[in-house]
Amino acid sequence: DVKVTQSSRYLVKRTGEKVFLECVQDMDHENMFWYRQDPGLGLRLIYFSYDVKMKEKGDIPEGYSVSREKKERFSLILESASTNQTSMYLCASSRLWDSASYEQYFGPGTRLTVT
Amino acid sequence: DAKTTQPNSMESNEEEPVHLPCNHSTISGTDYIHWYRQLPSQGPEYVIHGLTSNVNNRMASLAIAEDRKSSTLILHRATLRDAAVYYCILTNTGTASKLTFGTGTRLQVTL
């Protein structure tokens, strides 16, 4: 079974802190994604990566950065956390860079609260 | 990007079939139709996808209209574990298989 794991299920951070969310997949997938999910807004794409050290902005990249140093690991970084970044963060992975037919596999999510 | 329209919520009795509709009138010829679902407190889960022909897998069936402007996800026998939010999503190779989630259909299953 494909497994996507995220470093924490719940995280509480203070405003202004630097926050790292880690995601690891074990299926040698090329694509990896970071989404956030908020009530009434659904899932929104923050960043994605189609290869090591490659990244593309999603729909809402402001306030976030990402790092992909190894194929299996994709990190989301909040340089200076703010209360409006309180959300559920979901990581996903999929095969192949240019295929729309391959499904994405999601991790369980990290519920981040910024106080 | 082509958009999808789904009812906000639907109800079903356990053991009965469920037909979840999705309208995508602006679909392009190269758009795939994907369905995902999200159970409470979990990440989304892939259900099924198709391009032009109807598709079946162990979880569900996908019926695609001949003009591809609509599709229907069919759960043949709903169980309580099928209670979830179901998302109908279009993807295209030009968007690098990114998923754009709408608000989906919340399916309630009752005894």
Side-chain angles (χ1 to χ4, degrees):
Chain A
D1 275 356
V2 175
K3 189 171 268 189
V4 179
T5 57
Q6 295 183 228
S7 49
S8 306
R9 286 302 304 268
Y10 300 94
L11 207 54
V12 180
K13 295 291 182 181
R14 293 190 183 273
T15 301
E17 278 193 81
K18 191 169 186 175
V19 181
F20 292 87
L21 302 182
E22 303 283 334
C23 174
V24 178
Q25 50 94 2
D26 66 358
M27 282 300 292
D28 202 37
H29 284 172
E30 289 82 2
N31 296 341
M32 294 189 75
F33 306 82
W34 275 106
Y35 297 86
R36 64 177 282 177
Q37 184 171 28
D38 302 288
L41 296 176
L43 278 85
R44 293 176 292 168
L45 181 65
I46 304 171
Y47 266 99
F48 69 99
S49 168
Y50 50 89
D51 200 353
V52 174
K53 297 192 186 296
M54 305 302 289
K55 61 186 179 184
E56 293 268 349
K57 292 180 180 179
D59 300 318
I60 51 164
E62 296 79 19
Y64 303 93
S65 61
V66 291
S67 172
R68 192 162 180 205
E69 297 295 320
K70 293 186 178 182
K71 190 175 186 180
E72 68 271 17
R73 190 178 297 269
F74 192 35
S75 302
L76 180 69
I77 303 154
L78 287 65
E79 295 289 342
S80 176
S82 64
T83 54
N84 63 11
Q85 292 179 309
T86 291
S87 186
M88 171 68 83
Y89 289 88
L90 290 152
C91 175
S93 71
S94 71
R95 290 175 56 191
L96 295 182
W97 142 243
D98 60 351
S99 169
S101 69
Y102 289 102
E103 60 265 34
Q104 289 190 16
Y105 296 87
F106 283 80
T110 296
R111 185 165 294 283
L112 172 67
T113 302
V114 182
T115 61
Chain B
D1 288 346
K3 295 201 183 301
T4 63
T5 305
Q6 300 177 253
N8 288 333
S9 63
M10 292 184 66
E11 284 189 27
S12 173
N13 295 322
E14 201 177 22
E15 307 277 311
E16 290 186 358
V18 181
H19 291 233
L20 296 164
C22 181
N23 287 318
H24 28 79
S25 58
T26 58
I27 191 170
S28 74
T30 55
D31 282 338
Y32 286 82
I33 303 161
H34 285 239
W35 283 82
Y36 283 75
R37 72 180 186 181
Q38 188 171 21
L39 280 65
S41 302
Q42 295 188 26
E45 172 189 32
Y46 166 81
V47 177
I48 200 166
H49 76 273
L51 184 60
T52 56
S53 304
N54 294 345
V55 184
N56 299 297
N57 67 19
R58 63 176 177 81
M59 289 181 70
S61 295
L62 176 60
I64 301 172
E66 199 168 328
D67 63 5
R68 301 210 325 128
K69 293 184 185 297
S70 66
S71 61
T72 302
L73 178 70
I74 303 165
L75 307 180
H76 296 285
R77 288 180 66 208
T79 70
L80 295 178
R81 288 174 295 179
D82 292 321
V85 178
Y86 287 79
Y87 298 97
C88 170
I89 302 166
L90 302 182
T91 69
N92 189 287
T93 54
T95 57
S97 69
K98 290 188 291 182
L99 300 177
T100 300
F101 286 80
T103 52
T105 297
R106 183 173 297 278
L107 175 66
Q108 292 181 296
V109 181
T110 54
L111 292 170

